[in-house]
Amino acid sequence: MTKNVYFSVKKQLRLFAQLWVIVLLFAVSKANADWQLNMREGVTEISRAVYDLHMVIFWICVAIAVVVFGVMLFSVIYHRKSRGAKAHNFHENVFVEIAWTVIPMVILIGMAIPATGTLIKMYDSRESDLDIQITGYQWKWRYQYLESGVDFFSSLATPMAQIKGEEPKGEHYLLEVDNPLVIPVGKKIRFLITANDVIHSWWVPDFAVKKDAIPGFINESWTVVEEPGIYRGQCAELCGKDHGFMPIVVEVKSQPDYDAWVKQQQLAQLEKAKSAEKRWSLDELMTTGEAVYLKSCAACHQASGEGIPGAFPALKGSAIVQGDPAAHIDIVLNGKPGTAMQAFIDQLSAVELAAVITYERNAWGDSLGDIISPSQIAKLQQ
Amino acid sequence: MSTTTEQITETSKADTEHHHGPAKGMSRWFFTTNHKDIGTMYLWFSLAMFMTGGCMALMVRAELFQPGLQFIEPDFFNQMTTMHGLIMVFGAVMPAFVGLANWMIPMMIGAPDMALPRLNNWSFWILPFAFSIMLMTLFMDGGGPNFGWTFYAPLSTTFAPPSVTYFIFAVHMMGISSIMGAINVIVTILNMRAPGMIMMKLPLFVWTWLITAFLLILVMPILAGLVTMMLMDIHFSTSFFSAAGGGDPVLFQHIFWFFGHPEVYIMILPAFGIVSEIIPTFARKKLFGYSSMVYATSSIAFLSFIVWAHHMFTVGIPLMGELFFMFATMLIAVPTGVKVFNWVATMFRGSMTFETPMLFSIAFVVLFSIGGFSGLMLAIAPADFQYHDTYFVVAHFHYVLVPGSVFSIMAGVYYWLPKWTGNYYDERMGKIHFWLSFVGINITFFPMHFVGLAGMPRRVPDYALQFADFNAISSVGAFLFGFSQLLFIYNVVSCIRKRNQASNRVWEGSHGLEWTLTSPPPYHSFTTPPKVD
Ligand code: HEM
Ligand SMILES: [Cu+2]
Ligand SMILES: [Cu+2]
């Protein structure tokens, strides 16, 4: 039946070889671009141990592949009917069957031993120098330093125009944040990881730390970073619309720099509290409010205030936004449990909250002229 | 006329119809209880779903061709990946295997038909409704499922779009269909074998399907339970998966993967069976290690129930749990290795020819093994902390699913098509289809290993600049592979229409009862049981 159009094995092999040569040429021609092929070794003892495990198991696989595919290729070439090969008549051999059960078993045990050692080390989060609670929110991270009380949110800093292709993309496109996590070098940092809404996963490849952030549960992980620098990662668990847009940036500083940073953060927090006492005009609130809205609310409610039907309600023309300010303040401060509307009471300062609520009540043409004062919100925050 | 004569004429009419072939027109397809008709419908349905899910994959790949958001919004992107995964798993691969089982099991064991023909009709006809409901959700307010094919709570419960209830209903229907199909396979194999067809003489395709059917019966109810718990959480204010009400989101994952890991074996065991039929035919040599193949398949099936948490290494299970699941997972590599070694030993010292089914089968052995190797790497828990939820995993499961399950299905179709239709397909076109698919697959999925290792997470609509080049290559490969499948449709259709009479044996080295029937086989395969010795 194959007589009419005979498409020979040789021709097929030649076609195959030609295609791969084209692919390889293409690859080589761009070899000086950033073509990272392998896992990063990272900058911690653990990340290097993980890298070594990865390489060992990889070479074991390569070795097995060479043997198995080698035998197969040999048969394909030499035991072909077109070469006059006659089929032999063996179909059982207890000895080889036992051999190829036992040998892989031994290899696997050899592999399991170092893997177990590394895993035990990864799980030993005792005796930390610094504890940081990490909370995943739809679509940002919150970092709370348990000892010093420093507490802030960290979200994507890449402008929308770059994402939409209206501006050239920057060097750290999608891997940059407004407030990076800052940690001291050479200290054992323990991360207490949890989430506020859905499951996220906190991952920094250079530390080989990846732990799921699960609402209602606290996971532990730890790291000791050996070199100061900036390390980047991403959320690694699908968490909704903007899962691809919640990166992680960690700045590792020397101890004195770190201490100075903590001081400065604590001062800034005091400043913020003070500014709530000042009197704010409608215009001032509107300008601040628009900025806060675009950063914290527009991902869901959209810049136009029109929301996404079926997922996020429109604020433009909404009964709550148009109605009694108390209800409006309540939903923004406390969120609505069991929905994507999170509580913003600890996320934003009194000024920011007052500004964004004022903004919502006056933007989009349905301006009510209301002013929500920061001092009013500050009272509710206590 | 008295009622009795009426009845008699009725029955004799039914009888003649029975002996002479199918009913005419559409009612043949709606009311058929014939294993071949139902098998055919399953296969066409699966092909339609494969193309639908494929278009969704191409949309995903188009968006990922370059960094930045070009064509689709992130939420729609999530709907596309989710639907693509669900449709490929439940709509393309599983129904294709059931279709092959329907066609081949009665012919391979010497039976006239499946044991429970009406159940058979029903289990097929549920599917078009289930998938219509599922596809409909895309047009509802808030869109369709956007929480990944693994639909982890609370993203799929508290935070899901309103259409999730339809999704739950569709999953229930698919589950019912699979369970009924599985019952039918088991009853047929255990009760309808020809005299002399003892268990240890069953063709491997039948053996692997028997084991798959048991897996299906064991795990589909778990999936049904899981989506019912979701339904309760969403509509009846229970808190199975909500920590705020005392529930546990991780419980969801344990239940899902207790279903999910056997599920991935449901998608690969029948593939093992098909390849174990094809390789001996074209190597003109008996399958090496028949009984070790049966034992290996059984041990894989058993082990598949005790490895589920390898999908959850990063959720924070205790150290001892982590170790247990790591060891158990590594253990699966042993019986899987045995199968690969057996196939290679079958080819060794054979007398091989390379018709299209054999090409697909050889590619299966090589590329499935590559997927197996990356699987072994993923089993190493500390390393999985780096691999988990990256494109490395996407590369891994596509190597086992596409050149694994999908290639085996295509191999099976080319292998049995001349038997089914009575015509040979065009060998040259078959080979072109094979080579385009083979090259396309590797260009698509091999670079995904690299971007995954370099740190690109999965399920993202946009990525950092260092991943751009490999993503562009992947997308080119995806379109090559996708469009090559049009050739497959062309080949199948022209084989059905062209007259190029196939012999009964079809292949020089074919072996087994199905080849003793005429090509195409009679409507009721074996009306008198053949003797097997
Ligand atoms: C044309 C061939 C195919 C292409 C180009 C393709 C491409 C893709 C891509 C790009 C993703 C999304 C990865 C992500 O964003 O995380 C994906 C996910 C997936 N694919 Fe495919 N795929 C193909 C065929 C298949 C087949 C045949 C199957 C099943 C047998 C399959 C099963 C899956 C599954 C289960 C997922 C995971 C979905 C999820 O993340 O929830 N794919 N595929
Ligand atoms: Cu995420
Ligand atoms: Cu699994």
Side-chain angles (χ1 to χ4, degrees):
Chain A
M1 112 292 343
T2 46
K3 256 174 260 144
N4 46 351
V5 246
Y6 183 63
F7 198 47
S8 78
V9 179
K10 242 190 235 149
K11 252 198 218 150
Q12 289 179 48
L13 285 175
R14 201 184 311 136
L15 179 67
F16 177 57
Q18 282 164 351
L19 279 164
W20 273 112
V21 167
I22 294 169
V23 172
L24 284 179
L25 279 180
F26 182 65
V28 170
S29 71
K30 299 198 74 176
N32 43 5
D34 187 8
W35 292 79
Q36 190 191 333
L37 296 176
N38 203 354
M39 186 187 281
R40 306 165 72 88
E41 257 191 275
V43 289
T44 67
E45 188 198 335
I46 294 289
S47 73
R48 273 191 293 272
V50 166
Y51 178 82
D52 291 342
L53 279 175
H54 159 72
M55 289 319 285
V56 170
I57 186 77
F58 172 72
W59 287 116
I60 290 177
C61 289
V62 170
I64 300 173
V66 166
V67 174
V68 175
F69 298 160
V71 174
M72 207 166 132
L73 194 67
F74 178 83
S75 312
V76 167
I77 293 171
Y78 291 100
H79 304 149
R80 261 189 282 148
K81 194 181 174 208
S82 56
R83 278 189 155 226
K86 288 268 170 323
H88 285 226
N89 192 22
F90 60 89
H91 55 85
E92 235 154 12
N93 185 325
V94 180
F95 174 74
V96 294
E97 286 174 62
I98 290 178
W100 67 41
T101 313
V102 173
I103 295 171
M105 199 83 141
V106 173
I107 297 175
L108 289 179
I109 293 172
M111 196 56 226
I113 293 168
T116 305
T118 307
L119 198 62
I120 290 174
K121 268 195 235 149
M122 289 173 104
Y123 263 72
D124 182 8
S125 57
R126 284 169 302 171
E127 289 168 25
S128 61
D129 301 311
L130 181 64
D131 292 345
I132 300 175
Q133 181 175 329
I134 300 175
T135 312
Y137 282 69
Q138 277 186 322
W139 301 290
K140 58 203 156 212
W141 297 98
R142 178 183 193 176
Y143 300 114
Q144 288 164 288
Y145 292 64
L146 298 189
E147 283 86 357
S148 59
V150 174
D151 177 358
F152 59 91
F153 281 79
S154 170
S155 46
L156 180 72
T158 305
M160 206 55 208
Q162 287 190 16
I163 296 173
K164 294 271 184 216
E166 291 149 7
E167 266 175 28
K169 299 185 183 359
E171 188 192 352
H172 297 300
Y173 177 71
L174 292 193
L175 295 179
E176 49 200 350
V177 298
D178 48 3
N179 306 306
L181 173 69
V182 177
I183 57 172
V185 73
K187 289 279 156 65
K188 183 162 183 174
I189 320 284
R190 184 163 58 159
F191 302 116
L192 304 167
I193 302 174
T194 183
N196 177 62
D197 33 47
V198 299
I199 301 177
H200 305 261
S201 187
W202 197 81
W203 178 34
V204 179
D206 281 316
F207 306 166
V209 170
K210 183 187 283 154
K211 257 289 150 66
D212 289 2
I214 301 170
F217 290 80
I218 294 184
N219 268 329
E220 283 187 12
S221 193
W222 64 272
T223 192
V224 178
V225 185
E226 292 156 5
E227 294 160 37
I230 295 181
Y231 303 99
R232 294 166 203 275
Q234 277 175 276
C235 176
E237 180 64 59
L238 178 62
C239 54
K241 180 167 82 67
D242 284 350
H243 162 58
F245 304 94
M246 51 182 292
I248 294 154
V249 179
V250 184
E251 237 183 284
V252 181
K253 293 188 192 262
S254 67
Q255 189 67 43
D257 288 353
Y258 171 75
D259 292 335
W261 177 83
V262 172
K263 279 259 156 53
Q264 185 206 330
Q265 290 297 306
Q266 285 166 333
L267 274 179
Q269 257 164 13
L270 285 179
E271 274 308 273
K272 259 192 181 167
K274 247 190 246 147
S275 72
E277 287 156 22
K278 178 190 131 188
R279 259 206 153 337
W280 286 70
S281 74
L282 180 61
D283 280 350
E284 283 171 320
L285 285 173
M286 286 297 281
T287 337
T288 316
E290 179 169 14
V292 175
Y293 182 83
L294 290 178
K295 188 172 147 242
S296 303
C297 321
C300 297
H301 296 294
Q302 306 298 299
S304 63
E306 281 160 0
I308 299 177
F312 307 113
L315 298 182
K316 184 174 173 177
S318 134
I320 293 185
V321 173
Q322 304 259 289
D324 177 17
H328 189 177
I329 294 173
D330 179 59
I331 192 165
V332 178
L333 262 60
N334 303 315
K336 185 153 172 189
T339 75
M341 182 61 203
Q342 42 199 259
F344 283 92
I345 190 161
D346 321 307
Q347 295 196 36
L348 300 174
S349 71
V351 173
E352 288 167 327
L353 284 165
V356 78
I357 297 169
T358 307
Y359 176 75
E360 284 178 353
R361 297 181 77 78
N362 293 292
W364 313 311
D366 45 355
S367 60
L368 303 171
D370 302 7
I371 293 185
I372 308 295
S373 74
S375 54
Q376 184 185 347
I377 302 289
K379 265 192 222 110
L380 292 170
Q381 273 181 319
Q382 272 145 24
Chain B
M1 261 201 289
S2 73
T3 14
T4 24
T5 39
E6 226 177 78
Q7 271 169 356
I8 288 165
T9 35
E10 280 276 345
T11 25
S12 59
K13 208 172 106 213
D15 257 345
T16 31
E17 257 178 28
H18 246 65
H19 289 297
H20 290 283
K24 295 278 173 296
M26 283 309 284
S27 59
R28 164 175 182 185
W29 302 107
F30 286 129
F31 304 126
T32 182
T33 54
N34 179 277
H35 73 103
K36 299 191 186 73
D37 286 351
I38 294 174
T40 304
M41 289 196 293
Y42 264 113
L43 289 169
W44 280 118
F45 175 78
S46 149
L47 185 61
M49 286 294 121
F50 180 64
M51 299 313 281
T52 313
C55 289
M56 293 172 176
L58 292 187
M59 254 190 264
V60 168
R61 279 313 333 166
E63 180 55 56
L64 292 174
F65 180 62
Q66 280 188 335
L69 292 179
Q70 275 78 235
F71 305 108
I72 55 180
E73 290 297 312
D75 193 56
F76 188 68
F77 179 93
N78 288 345
Q79 293 174 39
M80 284 299 103
T81 55
T82 305
M83 279 296 207
H84 159 72
L86 289 167
I87 286 185
M88 286 300 192
V89 168
F90 295 103
V93 174
M94 290 171 67
F97 283 135
V98 182
L100 292 172
N102 257 299
W103 257 101
M104 300 318 299
I105 289 176
M107 291 179 15
M108 286 176 149
I109 63 175
D113 204 309
M114 296 292 279
L116 308 166
R118 284 184 187 80
L119 195 75
N120 207 6
N121 172 294
W122 197 26
S123 62
F124 170 75
W125 274 111
I126 286 178
L127 283 182
F129 294 95
F131 281 90
S132 308
I133 291 176
M134 188 127 104
L135 285 167
M136 243 160 56
T137 60
L138 287 175
F139 304 99
M140 294 178 185
D141 247 11
N146 55 7
F147 26 67
W149 89 279
T150 51
F151 57 102
Y152 281 5
L155 191 61
S156 64
T157 53
T158 318
F159 295 82
S163 65
V164 65
T165 310
Y166 292 87
F167 158 80
I168 292 174
F169 193 53
V171 170
H172 267 308
M173 289 170 69
M174 290 171 217
I176 293 172
S177 158
S178 297
I179 292 172
M180 293 195 307
I183 292 175
N184 211 347
V185 166
I186 294 174
V187 176
T188 306
I189 298 174
L190 294 185
N191 292 307
M192 300 193 45
R193 300 191 308 276
M197 177 62 86
I198 54 170
M199 291 302 275
M200 287 312 272
K201 274 191 186 159
L202 283 180
L204 262 171
F205 178 67
V206 180
W207 251 119
T208 52
W209 239 112
L210 180 66
I211 294 168
T212 304
F214 276 106
L215 289 183
L216 275 168
I217 288 192
L218 287 168
V219 302
M220 291 316 277
I222 294 166
L223 178 65
L226 181 67
V227 293
T228 308
M229 287 158 93
M230 280 171 64
L231 190 75
M232 304 292 274
D233 269 11
I234 294 168
H235 293 293
F236 305 107
S237 41
T238 54
S239 303
F240 290 110
F241 307 128
S242 150
D248 180 353
V250 180
L251 174 67
F252 178 98
Q253 300 184 22
H254 282 294
I255 303 177
F256 180 85
W257 287 111
F258 192 79
F259 146 79
H261 194 83
E263 167 67 23
V264 308
Y265 283 95
I266 288 168
M267 292 190 281
I268 203 66
L269 295 185
F272 291 166
I274 294 169
V275 171
S276 305
E277 298 298 326
I278 293 174
I279 291 178
T281 298
F282 297 97
R284 292 167 181 73
K285 186 160 155 279
K286 244 178 117 170
L287 181 71
F288 189 87
Y290 172 89
S291 43
S292 75
M293 283 298 215
V294 174
Y295 300 136
T297 312
S298 315
S299 25
I300 291 174
F302 168 74
L303 288 173
S304 76
F305 281 99
I306 57 164
V307 297
W308 74 89
H310 64 208
H311 299 273
M312 304 164 56
F313 280 142
T314 63
V315 302
I317 29 185
L319 180 61
M320 278 304 147
E322 201 99 340
L323 288 174
F324 170 81
F325 286 107
M326 174 166 86
F327 298 149
T329 306
M330 291 170 82
L331 207 54
I332 284 202
V334 175
T336 312
V338 167
K339 306 210 82 150
V340 174
F341 301 146
N342 280 336
W343 290 319
V344 174
T346 307
M347 291 184 233
F348 191 69
R349 295 263 160 109
S351 168
M352 278 194 270
T353 51
F354 302 92
E355 287 83 350
T356 311
M358 183 62 161
L359 290 175
F360 273 107
S361 301
I362 292 177
F364 170 94
V365 176
V366 175
L367 301 182
F368 171 79
S369 300
I370 292 178
F373 289 134
S374 56
L376 188 55
M377 296 171 77
L378 289 159
I380 310 293
D384 185 63
F385 279 83
Q386 294 284 48
Y387 308 136
H388 178 68
D389 258 330
T390 67
Y391 258 86
F392 190 77
V393 176
V394 178
H396 156 72
F397 69 71
H398 279 97
Y399 262 88
V400 290
L401 281 175
V402 186
S405 310
V406 173
F407 271 24
S408 82
I409 291 163
M410 288 174 174
V413 169
Y414 281 114
Y415 183 54
W416 287 309
L417 203 53
K419 171 56 61 186
W420 298 340
T421 62
N423 305 319
Y424 283 113
Y425 58 89
D426 183 339
E427 190 60 47
R428 181 155 165 275
M429 292 302 285
K431 282 181 175 151
I432 294 175
H433 170 226
F434 167 77
W435 282 113
L436 288 175
S437 302
F438 180 84
V439 172
I441 276 292
N442 285 295
I443 296 179
T444 313
F445 297 116
F446 211 78
M448 289 186 186
H449 290 112
F450 304 142
V451 284
L453 291 175
M456 176 166 161
R458 69 191 272 210
R459 296 168 168 172
V460 293
D462 194 2
Y463 46 82
L465 300 179
Q466 73 258 36
F467 308 128
D469 297 323
F470 283 127
N471 269 294
I473 296 180
S474 266
S475 292
V476 171
F479 278 85
L480 174 63
F481 177 76
F483 283 96
S484 314
Q485 301 323 305
L486 297 176
L487 263 184
F488 180 57
I489 299 182
Y490 171 81
N491 287 347
V492 172
V493 172
S494 61
C495 173
I496 294 171
R497 300 176 57 183
K498 200 171 45 195
R499 296 277 154 246
N500 180 8
Q501 182 60 44
S503 67
N504 288 357
R505 295 193 53 79
V506 179
W507 310 107
E508 189 184 61
S510 56
H511 53 101
L513 286 179
E514 74 262 39
W515 310 105
T516 63
L517 291 168
T518 53
S519 302
Y523 200 52
H524 296 283
S525 303
F526 286 97
T527 34
T528 46
K531 260 194 76 71
V532 183
D533 32 36

